[in-house]
Amino acid sequence: MKISVAMAYYNGGMYIEEQMDTILTQLSEQDEVIVSVDGASDGSKPLLLKMAEEDKRIHVIKGPGKGVVKNFENAIRHCSGEIIYLSDQDDIWKPDKVKKVNEAFLNPKVKAVLHDAQIVDECGNPTGAEGLFANRGSRKGILKNLIKNSYVGCCMAFRRELIPVICPIPKEMYMHDYWIGTAAEYMGEVCFIKEPLIDYRRHSSNVTQMTHGSMSFMIKKRIDIVRCLGLLKRRVKEAGEEIEKVNG
């Protein structure tokens, strides 16, 4: 099955070569990496274009310039693979990530896969901090993940059939990964792999942080998410109706 890797890029020149190397070594010739570029003011645009010229699996596209959620959506919309992996620009994929995630998709009921991650510093050295699953108490469940989100995008892959359901992502959604994970739960099963399959790099330039915002912000965010879930349910229902029509 063809794999697409959807990457949202913004001034990631410091780490992109190492990250891309760990991805490409696990892909076949038919697979692809879609890099949606929201900005490269760090001078990394020539590097991206050079990488794409040297490896035809890399496709560099212009991002919408509307933040990380819409940048990921743009990358996802350009993916043609059956399985779509989300990727940050600065992490390190462990050598058997793709093999183990793909094995989980052999179960046709599985719509998305989530794996654990080891926390490393900007040099790639383990920090000794607990992994993402332990940090977030990761498990499936709509209510559980509304309270504390388990669905970290760089640890996720999902089936292509979710695209009509998740896109477009509502502007009120602060987290594309929570949106995708919840859609997968509504449509089927989510497989959790307890093994850390990436090194999750934490540094001063990270777009996402491991700490929460203010209480008022957290409350507002969850109110907005609950409002969006009604839209998600309608899309899932419509997708199911379309599948029934096709299957006749």
Side-chain angles (χ1 to χ4, degrees):
M1 54 187 168
K2 182 177 180 178
I3 292 170
S4 293
V5 179
M7 179 183 293
Y9 185 90
Y10 182 80
N11 291 343
M14 183 176 294
Y15 304 110
I16 187 61
E17 288 183 283
E18 181 179 13
Q19 167 69 313
M20 195 67 77
D21 285 345
T22 67
I23 294 172
L24 292 172
T25 55
Q26 301 185 52
L27 302 185
S28 70
E29 289 303 312
Q30 68 170 351
D31 298 333
E32 63 183 7
V33 182
I34 307 297
V35 186
S36 180
V37 182
D38 252 2
S41 58
D42 60 348
S44 59
K45 188 64 176 291
L47 172 61
L48 289 175
L49 296 177
K50 181 175 183 290
M51 292 169 66
E53 183 179 353
E54 293 177 349
D55 194 315
K56 299 305 180 184
R57 293 174 293 180
I58 302 172
H59 305 277
V60 178
I61 62 174
K62 181 176 175 57
K66 296 180 179 180
V68 64
V69 173
K70 286 299 179 182
N71 201 18
F72 265 113
E73 180 184 321
N74 185 54
I76 290 168
R77 285 182 179 274
H78 283 81
C79 290
S80 61
E82 299 167 65
I83 303 298
I84 298 170
Y85 286 68
L86 300 181
S87 175
D88 290 345
Q89 63 195 18
D90 51 6
D91 297 323
I92 303 167
W93 285 21
K94 292 187 180 295
D96 52 356
K97 165 173 166 138
V98 170
K99 177 179 180 292
K100 292 186 174 180
V101 171
N102 281 357
E103 286 175 352
F105 280 114
L106 294 177
N107 179 351
K109 295 180 180 179
V110 170
K111 304 302 180 184
V113 175
L114 186 78
H115 61 73
D116 202 357
Q118 176 179 241
I119 313 300
V120 300
D121 63 20
E122 59 186 13
C123 297
N125 301 312
T127 64
E130 59 185 3
L132 280 186
F133 274 18
N135 177 268
R136 294 173 176 265
S138 296
R139 64 182 186 276
K140 64 187 72 176
I142 304 298
L143 180 58
K144 184 277 167 200
N145 287 294
L146 177 63
I147 296 170
K148 189 169 186 179
N149 181 38
S150 300
Y151 294 118
V152 179
C154 60
C155 299
M156 288 180 66
F158 59 93
R159 293 190 188 274
R160 179 177 182 78
E161 65 194 72
L162 265 65
I163 294 180
V165 174
I166 63 176
C167 294
I169 301 174
K171 66 180 185 301
E172 295 84 4
M173 281 301 305
Y174 300 83
M175 301 173 288
H176 60 282
D177 37 20
Y178 169 82
W179 181 251
I180 296 168
T182 303
E185 285 204 44
Y186 279 141
M187 295 185 72
E189 296 181 7
V190 178
C191 175
F192 281 64
I193 299 175
K194 295 181 180 180
E195 183 180 352
L197 297 180
I198 67 166
D199 288 337
Y200 186 59
R201 201 190 306 258
R202 308 309 295 163
H203 52 84
S204 59
S205 300
N206 284 123
V207 173
T208 56
Q209 301 297 326
M210 295 183 69
T211 55
H212 296 296
S214 67
M215 181 60 68
S216 60
F217 173 75
M218 298 300 292
I219 292 172
K220 180 183 183 304
K221 182 164 72 171
R222 275 154 182 78
I223 291 172
D224 288 342
I225 290 172
V226 169
R227 289 172 177 165
C228 290
L229 290 181
L231 170 62
L232 186 60
K233 287 181 179 179
R234 290 195 298 274
R235 290 186 185 175
V236 170
K237 181 180 178 182
E238 291 168 358
E241 291 171 349
E242 285 297 318
I243 292 173
E244 288 181 5
K245 288 180 182 177
V246 171
N247 293 336

